[in-house]
Amino acid sequence: MKALILAAGLGTRFKSDKPKVLHEILGKPMLWYVITNVRNGRIEDIAVVVGHKAEEVMEAFKGENLKFFFQKNPKGGTGDAVLSAKDFFSSYDGYVLIINGDTPLVSGETIRNMQQFIYMVQAYEGVKLSGVVLTTYMADPTGYGRVIKEEGTDRIIRIVEEKDATPEEKAINEVNAGTYIFYAPHLLEALYSIKPSPTTGELYLTDVIEYMTAKGYEVRSFMAKEPTEALGVNTRWELALAENVIKLKIARYWSERGVTIHFPETVWIEPDVSLERDVEIFPNTALKGRTKVKKGSVIGQGSVIKNTTIEENVVVKEYSVIEDSHVKSNAVIGPFARIRNGSEIGEEAEIGNFVEVKKSKIGKETKAKHLAYIGDATLGENVNVGAGAVFANYDGKKKHESHVGSNAFIGSNSLLIAPIKIGNYAFIAGGSVLNKDVPDEALAVSRPELKIIPKRGKKLLSE
């Protein structure tokens, strides 16, 4: 089977300079969801009809093994859009799925079931269907095309747009979900035969159904699994609604696989995230990119984790930010910590409140619990980094590295000016400024002489 995605629309109601199908849902372009769902529907031969800012859409999906066709007239209608890609299916003796690029909620399961329905009808009834239309029932069908069917059957006679519907037709609450499967030869025949709307000048894809029925071809309805699958995204508000539906579906998916998610309506989990059993996620967290969280780890409230691997039994405390890094098992991060730029946090290490780690490797059981900056550094095992310690890695022109051996002690408010090496079991006294290497087991103290002048303090305060 082939699939044709219609993504040429102007998206005027979005009021945006960006093509509508490139607006993001959970970090992915809306069109990505449609392509992914089609592939999950076991269709690999996919073409996309582009129009408005076609180059941007094609660039965004250049590595997706898609065929692209250009609709010259962006106001030509859905039928014209399909005709723009006629070379994709004109010599094809099979079925073509046609789906809009702004319908990210039509699932791969539904697409598979629509295909299966065609083959079952042929196998059990001996009827070769010319088309199948995805439909659903809505309590308020306002704005949707109504499905007119032969009484008592699932045979569709035609689809009428709301603006053309009679009061009796408007009372019908079975609506067109905008996803179709057509037998390609009959589709092409119908497209060449229907006429543009006298009102808008558009060529409507839905008109092929009435043509097929008149010719004696059979078109049937297939009920969507959920009414939300009919939700098209034509405005920013509808984008928000679709995102919320997808967000909750992802949360439910992981919940059913052993993940505890507190207040899931507040949790942001992107599609490429991977979670293991007994992970616990607290409210207002965001897991982004290709993040992996392994068994037994806890992600505290308000934390943001992006493109990071969290190993087993890690505790990420409240409001921590971790990007492009690797946190090993049993480590404790936060609260209010920031880890970034390819950092590695070792087993049982602790990175505490208001500590920033940038492009650094932190050894096993090393602790930096308060108010420190560690940049471009490698710290061995069981190092203690005191409050206010700073690894000064930038000389104004380029970055330099620091190396700290195992079991070293970095006193509070110390300043280590890179490049520098601190040996194993070295002890850096609090408040020291270091610009020279410190050998193993040495004590380093760098402080100006303290002067105490009797009674001078009171005099200064009273002046």
Side-chain angles (χ1 to χ4, degrees), residues 204 216 342 356:
Y204 293 124
E356 181 175 359

Side-chain angles (χ1 to χ4, degrees), residues 250-270:
I250 290 174
R252 180 177 178 178
Y253 174 89
W254 289 116
S255 294
E256 291 172 348
R257 283 155 181 79
V259 175
T260 296
I261 303 177
H262 301 281
F263 287 92
E265 62 273 18
T266 71
V267 174
W268 177 287
I269 304 174
E270 293 186 353

Side-chain angles (χ1 to χ4, degrees), residues 95-108:
Y95 285 93
V96 181
L97 170 77
I98 299 177
I99 185 170
N100 292 320
D102 60 1
T103 54
L105 298 176
V106 178
S107 68

Side-chain angles (χ1 to χ4, degrees), residues 67-253:
K67 301 177 181 69
F68 291 96
F69 295 89
F70 184 75
Q71 184 181 12
K72 294 179 181 179
N73 180 8
K75 297 182 179 181
T78 50
D80 180 72
V82 176
L83 274 175
S84 300
K86 61 182 182 297
D87 291 344
F88 179 58
F89 61 88
S90 60
S91 59
Y92 177 57
D93 187 23
Y95 285 93
V96 181
L97 170 77
I98 299 177
I99 185 170
N100 292 320
D102 60 1
T103 54
L105 298 176
V106 178
S107 68
E109 180 184 2
T110 291
I111 292 170
R112 292 195 303 271
N113 289 341
M114 289 176 72
Q115 296 174 69
Q116 187 64 27
F117 176 70
I118 291 171
Y119 302 131
M120 288 180 64
V121 169
Q122 184 160 353
Y124 290 101
E125 299 182 32
V127 175
K128 184 176 181 66
L129 295 181
S130 293
V132 174
V133 180
L134 185 66
T135 69
T136 191
Y137 287 101
M138 287 197 170
D140 180 8
T142 303
Y144 288 86
R146 308 304 202 275
V147 178
I148 313 300
K149 297 164 75 170
E150 182 182 288
E151 188 173 354
T153 74
D154 60 358
R155 294 185 179 93
I156 299 178
I157 300 171
R158 62 192 177 97
I159 294 174
V160 59
E161 299 301 323
E162 183 173 32
K163 61 181 178 294
D164 299 321
T166 65
E168 292 78 14
E169 289 168 339
K170 287 181 179 179
I172 296 170
N173 62 356
E174 183 175 2
V175 301
N176 175 24
T179 297
Y180 318 86
I181 296 178
F182 291 116
Y183 179 54
H186 291 175
L187 172 63
L188 194 63
E189 175 190 336
L191 287 169
Y192 280 132
S193 301
I194 61 176
K195 304 298 181 185
S197 165
T199 305
T200 65
E202 294 181 62
L203 198 66
Y204 293 124
L205 180 60
T206 50
D207 286 348
V208 306
I209 294 166
E210 188 171 4
Y211 171 85
M212 288 180 177
T213 301
K215 288 283 291 186
Y217 303 147
E218 188 152 340
V219 180
R220 294 195 184 180
S221 64
F222 185 87
M223 189 61 55
K225 183 178 180 181
E226 298 176 359
T228 54
E229 291 191 281
L231 178 63
V233 177
N234 295 302
T235 65
R236 304 270 187 155
W237 180 243
E238 289 174 347
L239 181 73
L241 294 176
E243 184 170 69
N244 201 45
V245 171
I246 292 171
K247 183 162 65 72
L248 288 173
K249 283 185 175 182
I250 290 174
R252 180 177 178 178
Y253 174 89

Side-chain angles (χ1 to χ4, degrees), residues 4-25:
L4 183 62
I5 301 173
L6 308 184
L10 294 172
T12 52
R13 283 184 279 174
F14 257 65
K15 297 179 173 62
S16 174
D17 294 329
K18 184 164 66 173
K20 180 171 71 169
V21 295
L22 294 187
H23 282 262
E24 292 188 350
I25 294 173

Side-chain angles (χ1 to χ4, degrees), residues 5 31 35 39 46-48 61-68:
I5 301 173
L31 182 57
I35 294 168
R39 286 185 171 143
I46 303 172
V48 181
F61 293 93
K62 63 183 179 181
E64 292 284 346
N65 192 29
L66 303 168
K67 301 177 181 69
F68 291 96

